[in-house]
């Protein structure tokens, strides 16, 4: 007798546990408001990444096309995977002394792991993270970028 | 009663007379067969594609997603796009497979589901063949597809496929019993195996209401067992993508895969239609006893709408199962059948026979 | 044990039905290959093959400075990236005898628990999916998204944050940090019971999980199975309790133990750990002390020559870091004892005689992350 009672109580327990699960999915089926998917390409205009989002490394330039990079090469040294190459030049400054300036700050986005060491270690805070994230290109070479804009100069701090 | 339901027999009858006026009777039959075949082909494709779309939308909403929404309005054309993609895909020949059986299997599966469609009554008077053993025919034909599945698993010469096919064999053979017994319940109630008679017998109420609790129990058993018979979750052990990658159709590609895929959805349609016909009155509108006024109002809704409404209701329930439950293990699957469903339905049949003998049903 | 030895021990027969699960298989969660020998549907034995994504992280560490090593450890167990980072940071800090500000310790502990929550959520999704409950996958991911958003706001990345640095943190957390965590806890306390209704109580699920993959406490200790998988067998191995680090000595929490040792026990332990993590978070989140986000460190870190060791509790078990330094700016040898490696190899022991479907449940319940095995 006991086993028969157990047989039926098993059935009812089973069915009620199944029903509990069906209630959850059913609840969401009838509440489409719970949909969390973002409509990505459509919401591009309103989509705003977090300000700290690590999308790529950029070198901020101000309105006069000036940046802060001295070409010291510390970022290149600190990058764990060689994503940064610094090419420097020597030019004469106002006093006629030869001075090291950045020629090309080459950044390989394809190799960067966004560890943030270059941004953190740059002594003159010349680098920052950009929020751009749509990096898909057809050619790998397009992922190699020169961060200092053409014609830009180093910002001279007032001594 | 229910005289003002539009009878499609008048429409088909007028087509028949019109054709008979033009050609000899042999040609009339031939033309009609071609016509019916074309209509079914079209319907098969449309319903199948729509079901795929529906499933993706339903599961998406249950999972707090949007589902297909790129191709066409609300993604309605998504499955058509998928079909075109599948048509264009390469058919990969499998080395060391049995080419004849390998190519035959998808056709067996799809033909079986196609055959079953012929006997379903879609509306009043709209039925290709009204067999006097309709219930038996649909069951027999739809369970034939296991042959195709077994062949697919065997001939692809892949270990995963073979396991999937063997599981499927064990599963369908055992669940066939419960499906049959639960349908038998209604056959006992209505005293006929002819689908049109079964429907007519529900003119004053559907069997699920008229047949007391036993009819309801057989309805539940039918739902569970037929879900298992068509290899759908939570009984999709033959495909079990987390265990067997894709089970019996692992090695298929392109349109042959699409055949399996479409047949799976059409099988779902067929069992839902059969369940709707047998338990929920098919195209018969919702009637209560002899409340003439109420019944009249219900009759204004066309019988096609009733049929498809009920069918899709059952399909939604089957989908609800799939997207809620985890998959069973093969031995648990067989335990469920042999220890629970089968004894219960056997007992149920006896109970129903008793009820019918005593004339306790309405 | 090498492959040949295993093969010798288990005498393979001619008609053994051997299937390869992986390296591309939907439920090995990565490129793990299990060579499974079947008899019908029953598993006779299995041989795990590892190394498909071996990247030589330990060797790479020997060429990198200690700051640079951090970002490599992210990529071992990517779901407990923060714990991995912290392990290396702590090794360096202890070796240099740097006193880390209290604030850093608190934030690190909070991040540990957040990361554990996110990892367990993902495990829950994947486990449900392994057993065929596809909807659980999306519910888990939906809730995990909130944690990832917190991460993104504070560290700029969602999965591999490289937020720790020897001596402290890369920068301070976002001002919103605390509020968002509190919001999340409020939200998730409502959602977690739904998980139970959908899966835990489900009769099919219980049948699939109870009594499957039995692992005795001796086996767990013998194979070094740690983390929730070990604790499901009653092996008390929570490093947070045994050797508290960070701010774990300042919070009240229980070590979750279950004694059954089956799939369901491991499942229960993880579910309970989610509740426990939320408790820990609640105790910490309002009490983060003010202060610096990093200790003063020299730009070039040179560990004094010697050997250093540190272990932490990741979401999957005990991660131990062992460093041999010869006084240079990069380690002479770095060894990671990753939890998944041991957890994987217990599979043969506990899955013999089960069905293929159980095998999936077992590997799901061990919560394997393959890059952590291969490093
Ligand atoms: S970006 Fe900064 S670290 Fe790199 S070269 Fe320029 S100044 Fe030096
Ligand atoms: S973020 Fe890291 S990997 Fe990327 S360029 Fe900077 S230092 Fe190199």
């Amino acid at each position: 007798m006991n086993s028969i009672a157990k047989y039926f109580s098993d059935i009812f327990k089973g069915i009620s546990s199944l029903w509990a699960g069906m209630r959850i999915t059913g609840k969401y089926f009838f509440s489409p408001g719970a949909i969390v998917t973002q409509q990505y390409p459509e919401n591009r205009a309103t989509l705003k990444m977090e300000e700290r989002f690590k999308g790529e490394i950029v070198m901020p330039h101000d309105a006069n096309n000036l940046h802060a990079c001295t070409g010291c090469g510390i970022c290149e040294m600190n990058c764990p995977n060689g994503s940064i190459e610094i090419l420097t030049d020597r030019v004469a400054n106002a006093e006629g002394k030869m001075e090291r300036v950045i020629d090309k700050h080459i950044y390989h986005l394809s190799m960067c792991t966004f560890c943030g060491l270059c941004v953190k270690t740059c002594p003159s805070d010349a680098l920052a993270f950009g929020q751009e994230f749509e990096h898909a290109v057809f050619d790998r070479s397009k992922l190699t970028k020169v961060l200092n804009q053409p014609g830009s100069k180093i910002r001279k701090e007032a001594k | 009663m229910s005289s003002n339901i539009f009878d499609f027999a008048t429409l088909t009858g007028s087509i028949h007379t019109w054709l008979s006026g033009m050609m000899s009777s042999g040609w009339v039959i031939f033309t009609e067969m071609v016509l019916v075949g074309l209509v079914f082909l079209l319907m098969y494709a449309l319903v199948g594609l729509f079901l795929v779309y529906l499933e993706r939308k339903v599961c998406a909403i249950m999972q707090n997603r949007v589902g297909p929404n790129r191709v066409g309005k609300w993604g309605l054309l998504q499955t058509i796009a998928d079909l075109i993609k599948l048509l264009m895909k390469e058919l990969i020949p499998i080395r060391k497979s049995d080419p004849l059986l390998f190519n035959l299997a998808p056709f067996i599966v799809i033909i079986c589901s196609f055959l079953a469609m012929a006997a379903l009554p879609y509306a009043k008077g709209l039925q290709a063949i009204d067999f006097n053993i309709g219930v038996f025919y649909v069951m027999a034909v739809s369970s034939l597809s296991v042959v195709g599945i077994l062949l697919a698993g065997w001939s692809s010469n892949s270990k995963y496929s073979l396991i999937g096919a063997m599981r499927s064999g064990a599963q369908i053979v055992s669940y066939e019993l419960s499906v049959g017994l639960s349908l038998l319940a209604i056959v006992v109630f209505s005293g006929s195996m002819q689908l049109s008679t079964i429907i007519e017998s529900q003119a004053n109420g559907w069997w699920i209401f008229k047949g007391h609790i036993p009819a309801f129990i057989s309805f539940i058993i039918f739902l569970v067992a037929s879900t298992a018979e068509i290899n759908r979750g939570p009984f999709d052990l033959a495909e079990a993508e987390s265990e067997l990658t894709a089970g019996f159709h692992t090695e298929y590609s392109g349109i042959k895969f699409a055949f399996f895929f479409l047949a799976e959805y059409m099988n779902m349609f067929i069992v839902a239609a059969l369940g709707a016909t047998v338990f929920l009155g098919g195209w018969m509108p919702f009637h209560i006893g002899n409340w003439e006024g109420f019944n009249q109002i219900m009759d204004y809704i066309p019988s096609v709408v009733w049929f498809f409404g009920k069918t899709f209701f059952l399909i939604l329930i089957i989908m609800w199962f799939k997207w809620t439950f985890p998959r069973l293990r093969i031995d648990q699957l067989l335990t469920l059948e042999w220890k629970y469903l089968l004894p219960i339905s056997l007992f149920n049949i006896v109970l129903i026979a008793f009820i019918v003998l005593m004339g306790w049903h309405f | 044990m090498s492959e040949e030895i295993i093969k010798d021990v288990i005498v393979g027969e001619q008609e053994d039905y051997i299937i390869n699960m992986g390296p591309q298989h939907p439920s090995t969660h990565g490129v793990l290959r299990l060579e499974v020998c079947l008899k019908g549907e029953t598993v006779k034995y299995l041989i795990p093959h590892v190394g498909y994504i071996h990247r030589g992280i330990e060797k790479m560490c020997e060429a990198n400075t200690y700051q640079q090593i951090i970002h490599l450890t992210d990529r071992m167990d990517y779901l407990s990236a923060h714990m991995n980072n912290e392990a290396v940071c702590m090794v360096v800090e202890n070796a240099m005898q740097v006193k880390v500000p209290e604030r850093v310790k608190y934030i690190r502990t909070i991040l540990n628990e957040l990361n554990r929550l996110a990892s367990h959520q993902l495990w829950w999704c994947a486990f449900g999916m392994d057993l065929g409950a596809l909807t659980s996958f999306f519910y888990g991911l939906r809730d995990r998204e909130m944690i990832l958003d917190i991460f993104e706001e504070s560290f700029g990345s969602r999965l591999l944050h490289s937020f720790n640095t020897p001596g402290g943190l890369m920068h301070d957390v976002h001002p919103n940090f605390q509020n968002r965590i509190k919001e999340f806890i409020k939200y998730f306390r409502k959602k977690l019971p739904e998980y139970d209704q959908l899966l835990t109580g489900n009769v099919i699920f219980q049948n699939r999980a109870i009594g499957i993959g039995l692992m005795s406490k001796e086996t767990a200790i013998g194979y070094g199975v740690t983390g929730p998988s070990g604790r499901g067998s009653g092996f008390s191995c929570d490093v947070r309790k045994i050797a508290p680090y960070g701010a774990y000595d300042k919070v009240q929490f229980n070590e979750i133990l279950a004694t059954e040792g089956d799939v369901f026990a491991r499942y229960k332990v993880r579910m309970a750990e989610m509740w426990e993590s939320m408790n820990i978070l609640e105790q910490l989140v309002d009490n983060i002390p003010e202060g610096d986000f990093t200790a003063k460190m020299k730009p070039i870190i040179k560990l004094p020559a010697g050997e250093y060791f540190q272990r932490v509790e990741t979401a999957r078990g005990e991660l131990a870091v062992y460093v041999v330094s010869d006084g240079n700016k990069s380690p002479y040898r770095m060894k990671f004892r990753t939890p998944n490696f041991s957890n994987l190899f217990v599979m043969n022991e506990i899955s013999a005689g089960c069905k293929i479907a159980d095998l999936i449940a077992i590997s799901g319940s061990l919560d394997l992350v393959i890059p952590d095995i291969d490093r």
Side-chain angles (χ1 to χ4, degrees):
Chain A
M1 205 58 219
N2 221 353
S3 66
I4 294 178
K6 190 175 173 303
Y7 179 83
F8 283 105
S9 78
D10 275 357
I11 293 179
F12 283 112
K13 261 189 231 142
I15 290 177
S16 64
S17 77
L18 296 180
W19 176 241
M22 285 173 73
R23 271 213 319 271
I24 298 287
T25 41
K27 183 182 97 190
Y28 283 113
F29 183 63
F30 288 109
S31 54
I35 288 177
V36 290
T37 317
Q38 291 182 19
Q39 295 299 310
Y40 160 57
E42 282 87 9
N43 72 356
R44 248 165 138 178
T46 52
L47 181 69
K48 212 178 154 304
M49 301 310 286
E50 307 283 356
E51 75 193 275
R52 290 183 179 180
F53 180 72
K54 298 178 186 172
E56 59 177 346
I57 305 285
V58 292
M59 186 180 281
H61 288 62
D62 62 12
N64 305 329
N65 207 6
L66 300 178
H67 58 72
C69 176
T70 57
C72 64
I74 287 179
C75 54
E76 183 183 13
M77 221 169 67
N78 269 299
C79 181
N81 38 31
S83 311
I84 294 179
E85 286 171 56
I86 307 285
L87 301 181
T88 51
D89 226 353
R90 297 192 83 83
V91 292
N93 64 2
E95 288 126 44
K97 277 211 223 107
M98 294 304 273
E99 199 178 47
R100 181 190 60 192
V101 293
I102 186 94
D103 177 22
K104 274 187 179 139
H105 188 295
I106 299 172
Y107 166 56
H108 299 278
L109 177 59
S110 49
M111 299 187 335
C112 178
T113 52
F114 305 106
C115 65
L117 285 176
C118 53
V119 176
K120 189 175 159 67
T121 53
C122 173
S124 38
D125 282 338
L127 296 178
F129 277 111
Q131 271 73 49
E132 179 62 43
F133 61 94
E134 290 165 330
H135 290 309
V137 285
F138 281 107
D139 189 350
R140 189 169 47 165
S141 63
K142 292 208 180 82
L143 289 174
T144 299
K145 304 183 177 185
V146 177
L147 293 188
N148 52 333
Q149 288 166 9
S152 61
K153 285 207 180 62
I154 178 165
R155 192 184 307 131
K156 287 278 188 288
E157 314 283 307
K159 293 252 167 66
Chain B
M1 77 189 281
S2 60
S3 52
N4 47 357
I5 307 175
F6 176 72
D7 193 345
F8 277 87
T10 52
L11 180 72
T12 47
S14 62
I15 293 177
H16 181 75
T17 20
W18 178 63
L19 283 175
S20 311
M22 294 201 300
M23 45 187 110
S24 67
S25 62
W27 279 106
V28 169
I29 302 244
F30 178 73
T31 327
E32 281 173 4
M33 277 171 133
V34 170
L35 273 181
V36 169
L38 282 179
V39 167
F40 272 131
L41 212 56
L42 194 69
M43 193 183 122
Y44 194 93
L46 285 183
V47 172
L49 289 179
F50 180 70
L51 279 180
V52 176
Y53 170 76
L54 186 74
E55 163 128 292
R56 290 167 73 172
K57 236 7 191 194
V58 166
C59 82
I61 297 174
M62 277 183 183
Q63 297 167 346
N64 295 347
R65 295 184 288 125
V66 187
N69 64 343
R70 297 282 143 171
V71 191
K73 184 90 179 142
W74 305 309
L76 270 171
L77 301 179
Q78 180 66 51
T79 38
I80 311 236
D82 287 348
L83 185 74
I84 294 172
K85 183 199 80 177
L86 282 174
L87 277 173
M88 292 193 306
K89 272 193 154 180
E90 187 192 354
L91 292 172
I92 300 168
I94 309 296
R95 200 149 32 102
K96 291 192 183 163
S97 70
D98 186 332
L100 175 71
L101 297 183
F102 186 73
N103 292 325
L104 190 65
F107 290 96
I108 293 182
V109 170
I110 206 159
I111 286 172
C112 290
S113 62
F114 205 79
L115 283 176
M117 283 187 71
L120 294 175
Y122 297 96
K124 191 174 185 184
L126 196 65
Q127 190 175 8
I129 309 171
D130 190 10
F131 283 118
N132 55 358
I133 47 160
V135 175
F136 179 68
Y137 169 79
V138 174
M139 265 193 58
V141 163
S142 63
S143 58
L144 265 184
S145 64
V146 69
V147 176
I149 291 176
L150 279 174
L151 283 186
W154 172 254
S155 64
S156 12
N157 195 23
S158 152
K159 294 177 175 175
Y160 283 123
S161 303
L162 189 58
I163 297 176
M166 291 305 151
R167 282 180 174 189
S168 172
Q171 179 179 345
I172 293 186
V173 164
S174 33
Y175 275 82
E176 194 68 12
L177 289 170
S178 286
V179 176
L181 284 175
S182 56
L183 288 176
L184 207 56
I186 302 304
V187 172
V188 172
F189 268 129
S190 62
S192 166
M193 282 221 205
Q194 193 164 8
L195 284 169
S196 56
T197 324
I198 292 180
I199 293 172
E200 287 300 339
S201 71
Q202 307 185 54
N204 57 349
W206 304 339
W207 278 120
I208 188 167
F209 302 126
K210 287 202 302 179
H212 305 294
I213 293 176
F216 188 71
I217 292 178
S218 21
F219 177 64
I220 300 285
I221 290 177
F222 174 80
L223 264 187
V224 175
S226 57
T227 315
E229 207 200 329
I230 55 178
N231 278 331
R232 268 188 70 82
F235 307 102
D236 53 348
L237 286 105
E239 296 154 43
E241 76 283 342
S242 62
E243 295 154 26
L244 304 178
T245 56
F248 65 92
H249 60 60
T250 308
E251 306 292 344
Y252 284 88
S253 63
I255 193 65
K256 285 192 244 169
F257 165 73
F259 276 2
F260 280 119
F261 199 61
L262 210 57
E264 190 189 321
Y265 281 91
M266 283 318 286
N267 280 333
M268 177 165 72
F269 177 78
I270 287 161
V271 296
L274 190 64
T277 307
V278 170
F279 292 95
L280 303 178
W283 49 261
M284 188 57 78
F286 184 60
H287 286 168
I288 299 181
N290 34 19
W291 296 13
E292 283 305 330
F294 179 78
N295 294 352
Q296 296 274 320
I297 297 170
M298 284 295 158
D299 286 351
Y300 282 114
I301 303 174
S303 50
V304 192
V305 175
W306 278 108
F307 174 78
F308 279 98
K310 289 168 191 173
T311 307
F312 277 96
F313 172 71
L314 288 190
I315 287 177
L316 279 181
I317 290 185
I318 293 179
M319 284 179 179
W320 193 8
F321 286 162
K322 164 152 185 172
W323 296 106
T324 308
F325 301 142
R327 187 181 300 115
L328 279 82
R329 210 171 53 206
I330 182 74
D331 54 327
Q332 292 164 354
L333 183 91
L334 299 178
T335 310
L336 174 68
E337 161 68 14
W338 295 101
K339 279 205 190 148
Y340 293 91
L341 295 186
L342 194 63
I344 293 176
S345 42
L346 280 173
F347 181 72
N348 206 27
I349 283 280
V350 175
L351 200 65
I352 285 171
F354 189 67
I355 288 178
V356 172
L357 272 181
M358 305 300 281
W360 282 346
H361 66 293
F362 298 109
Chain C
M1 240 197 280
S2 87
E3 240 168 70
E4 283 70 33
I5 301 175
I6 295 182
K7 275 210 171 119
D8 281 349
V9 171
I10 309 155
V11 188
E13 287 158 23
Q14 194 68 47
E15 55 275 18
D16 277 354
Y17 196 67
I18 294 181
I19 63 173
N20 270 315
M21 250 182 200
Q24 312 102 332
H25 187 277
S27 50
T28 50
H29 304 300
V31 278
L32 169 68
R33 180 175 146 220
L34 298 174
E35 197 181 322
V36 188
C37 175
L38 297 175
K39 190 169 172 56
E41 284 241 359
T42 312
V43 177
K44 275 172 86 177
Y45 62 87
L46 65 91
I47 304 169
H49 293 261
V50 297
Y52 282 88
I53 42 169
H54 178 69
R55 290 146 297 171
I57 285 184
E58 285 176 8
K59 193 74 190 165
M60 270 152 85
C61 289
E62 290 168 19
N64 276 320
T65 66
Y66 289 99
Q67 287 101 328
Q68 290 171 342
I69 285 171
I70 303 291
H71 94 292
L72 292 174
T73 59
D74 272 345
R75 281 141 182 97
M76 298 193 311
D77 179 355
Y78 46 83
L79 292 176
S80 2
H82 182 82
M83 291 88 135
N84 296 349
N85 290 350
E86 190 181 359
V88 178
C89 289
M90 284 197 324
V91 152
V92 176
E93 285 151 12
N94 292 348
M96 307 274 289
Q97 285 162 2
V98 182
K99 203 162 151 26
V100 180
E102 280 298 289
R103 182 180 175 80
V104 174
K105 284 190 178 169
Y106 271 72
I107 293 179
R108 278 183 181 172
T109 311
I110 290 177
L111 295 182
N112 267 343
E113 291 310 311
L114 272 182
N115 216 325
R116 190 183 318 277
L117 263 174
S119 166
H120 283 357
Q121 280 168 342
L122 188 74
W123 156 80
W124 185 77
C125 317
F127 188 50
M129 200 167 73
D130 284 348
L131 296 183
L134 298 149
T135 301
S136 73
F137 188 73
F138 291 93
Y139 291 169
L141 281 188
R142 174 195 68 196
D143 302 336
R144 177 169 174 259
E145 200 68 3
M146 293 197 64
I147 297 184
L148 296 191
D149 282 344
I150 299 175
F151 286 163
E152 187 181 336
E153 189 182 43
S154 271
F155 335 134
S157 44
R158 299 163 75 80
L159 193 64
L160 310 170
H161 355 93
S162 311
F163 187 57
N164 283 302
T165 182
L169 309 170
M170 288 293 254
H171 41 77
D172 212 344
V173 289
H174 198 274
N176 266 346
F177 187 62
Q178 278 144 300
N179 285 337
R180 286 190 77 156
I181 291 179
K182 278 185 252 174
E183 237 169 69
F184 166 76
I185 293 177
K186 226 173 107 205
Y187 166 85
F188 195 54
R189 274 190 189 280
K190 281 211 281 296
K191 292 292 176 193
L192 201 46
E194 279 186 8
Y195 288 20
D196 285 339
Q197 284 174 35
L198 186 67
L199 215 55
T200 319
N202 191 308
V203 61
I204 303 176
F205 174 77
Q206 292 197 348
N207 278 333
R208 286 289 305 273
I210 293 178
I212 305 300
L214 282 173
M215 170 159 57
S216 66
K217 190 175 173 184
E218 286 69 38
T219 318
I221 295 174
Y223 278 86
V225 179
T226 49
S229 312
R231 290 198 284 278
S233 306
F235 174 25
S236 162
C237 54
D238 196 333
V239 183
R240 295 175 293 174
K241 276 276 183 215
I242 301 170
Y245 55 94
Y248 282 115
D249 46 355
K250 301 191 182 63
V251 288
Q252 296 288 322
F253 70 101
N254 299 323
E255 179 180 4
I256 315 287
L257 280 179
T259 44
E260 295 89 346
D262 56 1
V263 170
F264 195 60
R266 299 193 271 278
Y267 176 89
K268 276 191 307 188
V269 168
R270 287 204 175 84
M271 293 305 266
E273 274 192 6
M274 286 205 235
W275 288 107
E276 210 55 48
S277 286
M278 284 197 284
N279 283 341
I280 298 178
L281 282 176
E282 269 176 344
Q283 292 175 41
L284 288 175
V285 71
D286 280 326
N287 303 327
I288 303 180
E290 293 299 315
D292 279 340
F293 61 84
T294 174
K296 273 253 166 299
M297 294 292 274
K298 285 191 224 98
I300 292 171
I301 297 173
K302 285 186 178 162
L303 290 201
E307 296 172 15
Y308 306 99
F309 178 78
Q310 175 68 45
R311 52 186 188 155
V312 297
E313 179 79 15
T314 74
R316 277 164 197 74
E318 182 176 325
L319 170 77
V321 183
Y322 172 66
V323 186
V324 182
S325 169
D326 53 3
N328 270 330
K329 62 182 175 151
S330 37
Y332 174 76
R333 172 78 171 94
M334 192 120 185
K335 160 78 186 158
F336 295 106
R337 184 263 180 216
T338 54
N340 283 304
F341 191 76
S342 330
N343 292 5
L344 166 70
F345 281 91
V346 80
M347 265 189 85
N348 182 31
E349 182 88 14
I350 64 178
S351 60
C354 71
K355 300 267 184 294
I356 309 177
D358 294 337
L359 188 64
I360 306 295
I362 291 170
S363 81
S365 76
L366 292 174
D367 192 11
L368 301 172
V369 165
I370 315 304
D372 194 38
I373 298 171
D374 289 349
R375 335 204 249 294

